[in-house]
Amino acid sequence: MKNVAIIMGGYSSEYKISLTSGGVVYNNLNKEKYNAFPIHILKEKWVCVKENIEYPIDKNDFTTTINGEKIFFDVVFNAIHGTPGEDGLMQAYFELLKMPHTSCDYYQAALTFNKRDLLSVLKPYGIKTATSHYLNLGDEINVDEILKTIGLPCFIKPNKSGSSFGISKVKTIEEFLPAIEIAYKEDNEIIIESFLDGTEVSVGVIKYKGETKVLPITEIVSDNDFFDYEAKYLGQSQEITPARISDELKYKIETVAKKAYEVLKMKGFSRSEFIIVNNEPHMLEMNTVPGLTNESILPQQANEAGISLAQLFENAIEEALKN
């Protein structure tokens, strides 16, 4: 039996969501095939939690000692949303330890976590995006010049954060500077994007049994102004899988999502968000450690494709062990 470390938690605002994702992975792994160990990666401690007892993780070799026995892990299942699990830090650490893990490599993780860099890299491949303007903390802010290019309404987002933390939809010039302050609370880099008026869809792409597989597309219908935290996690949205779109548009979105995954030489999970404007998908972002609860979008899509949570998670582990 393989020893599987399921890492969860993290250092960002998403740590509670990550703990839930990690718990779902733990509960759905085949215990006759894998010895699963929940590992909480938190700012103040790295610990293996078994039957409510915490066992420290030795960061020198990523091992733990339980009842006098030193436990080595064969593979890591990464369920950390945000830093340090989605931005490349854990991936680089495991690369140094030569330890297989279920997420993409460290460069791809760092690139996709940085919305500005991701969209810049994909543009030459014909992948459409919103018109955008970038700011770093301390930059001079010329509101009139920015809005001349971006227009209103617009979105102001932290460049490196997830779960819609720090995002504002700005409708008036008076809301602009307060929204920048909100975004800077999450990150010292922000991205200001033109409003794309269209249908929002989410597309999961995974490596499944050695092949790149595009999962059924989900249409997002938010009760709120956009797909914010409340819409994602507090039931204030409809997530319709498969999306109510034409076969032609479905093929176009699947092609773009698969192209982005393969151009970036991705591994493991990805979930990309698009807005459809004039029958053309415009990419917003790509998540490489998406939510993994029963209600999360990627598991919904896998279920529609006939893949259970147990199969989804087992496949991720087996793909990691092959690499």
Side-chain angles (χ1 to χ4, degrees):
M1 288 174 67
K2 300 289 186 186
N3 287 344
V4 181
I6 306 168
I7 59 171
M8 61 189 88
Y11 306 161
S12 76
S13 303
E14 297 183 87
Y15 79 95
K16 286 184 180 176
I17 302 159
S18 170
L19 291 173
T20 302
S21 286
V24 171
V25 174
Y26 178 80
N27 290 331
N28 282 277
L29 277 189
N30 182 346
K31 301 302 190 297
E32 293 179 5
K33 194 167 184 179
Y34 305 110
N35 291 318
F37 295 83
I39 310 290
H40 292 196
I41 304 291
L42 305 170
K43 283 180 182 175
E44 64 277 12
K45 59 189 175 183
W46 289 19
V47 290
C48 175
V49 183
K50 278 286 204 181
E51 296 171 354
N52 294 320
I53 300 172
E54 295 184 351
Y55 301 93
I57 294 292
D58 185 340
K59 295 181 184 177
N60 293 299
D61 57 4
F62 200 69
T63 60
T64 191
T65 301
I66 299 176
N67 299 328
E69 181 188 355
K70 189 165 185 173
I71 307 293
F72 294 87
F73 301 110
D74 298 294
V75 62
V76 175
F77 193 110
N78 183 6
I80 297 178
H81 314 310
T83 189
E86 200 167 4
D87 58 359
L89 295 178
M90 294 304 293
Q91 289 87 342
Y93 169 71
F94 292 128
E95 177 79 12
L96 289 171
L97 293 178
K98 303 217 173 336
M99 185 170 291
H101 58 86
T102 58
S103 47
C104 58
D105 292 336
Y106 62 90
Y107 170 74
Q108 284 80 357
L111 176 68
T112 51
F113 196 67
N114 187 311
K115 297 180 184 76
R116 304 186 331 190
D117 290 357
L118 168 70
L119 298 175
S120 298
V121 165
L122 291 177
K123 268 184 187 175
Y125 293 93
I127 294 174
K128 295 178 171 59
T129 64
T131 303
S132 57
H133 183 91
Y134 305 153
L135 284 175
N136 296 329
L137 187 62
D139 284 355
E140 182 183 341
I141 303 170
N142 188 324
V143 178
D144 291 335
E145 281 297 312
I146 294 169
L147 291 181
K148 196 183 292 182
T149 306
I150 304 297
L152 286 172
C154 66
F155 281 98
I156 297 180
K157 310 175 180 180
N159 186 38
K160 303 185 293 290
S161 84
S163 294
S164 299
F165 286 111
I167 298 182
S168 302
K169 183 178 180 182
V170 174
K171 298 173 186 173
T172 67
I173 197 165
E174 291 76 23
E175 295 171 344
F176 191 84
L177 290 176
I180 284 177
E181 291 304 311
I182 289 168
Y184 275 144
K185 285 177 183 172
E186 291 290 329
D187 189 16
N188 59 11
E189 300 174 351
I190 64 175
I191 180 168
I192 304 166
E193 289 183 333
S194 60
F195 172 61
L196 296 172
D197 191 6
T199 302
E200 182 166 356
V201 295
S202 185
V203 194
V205 183
I206 61 175
K207 196 69 77 176
Y208 193 71
K209 297 182 178 177
E211 302 291 328
T212 302
K213 182 176 181 64
V214 183
L215 297 172
I217 298 166
T218 298
E219 178 183 349
I220 308 295
V221 183
S222 176
D223 298 343
N224 304 336
D225 254 353
F226 64 99
F227 197 41
D228 58 9
Y229 181 88
E230 286 75 17
K232 283 182 179 174
Y233 299 110
L234 302 180
Q236 296 174 16
S237 68
Q238 295 178 66
E239 296 160 7
I240 301 162
T241 311
R244 302 167 298 182
I245 55 177
S246 68
D247 288 344
E248 177 197 359
L249 185 52
K250 175 175 172 281
Y251 176 76
K252 193 178 281 188
I253 296 165
E254 287 174 344
T255 302
V256 172
K258 185 176 183 181
K259 183 178 190 178
Y261 189 94
E262 293 188 332
V263 158
L264 297 175
K265 299 180 179 172
M266 289 293 298
K267 297 176 186 171
F269 301 112
S270 84
R271 197 194 72 230
S272 298
E273 319 301 329
F274 295 90
I275 301 281
I276 313 304
V277 181
N278 298 325
N279 229 36
E280 291 291 338
H282 291 64
M283 181 178 264
L284 299 178
E285 64 180 13
M286 180 187 286
N287 303 283
T288 59
V289 188
L292 297 171
T293 69
N294 292 288
E295 299 77 26
S296 298
I297 292 174
L298 190 135
Q300 285 181 39
Q301 296 174 346
N303 183 60
E304 181 69 22
I307 302 168
S308 69
L309 283 178
Q311 291 169 323
L312 185 69
F313 301 152
E314 181 170 324
N315 175 76
I317 289 168
E318 295 304 320
E319 286 292 319
L321 287 167
K322 281 196 310 197
N323 289 326

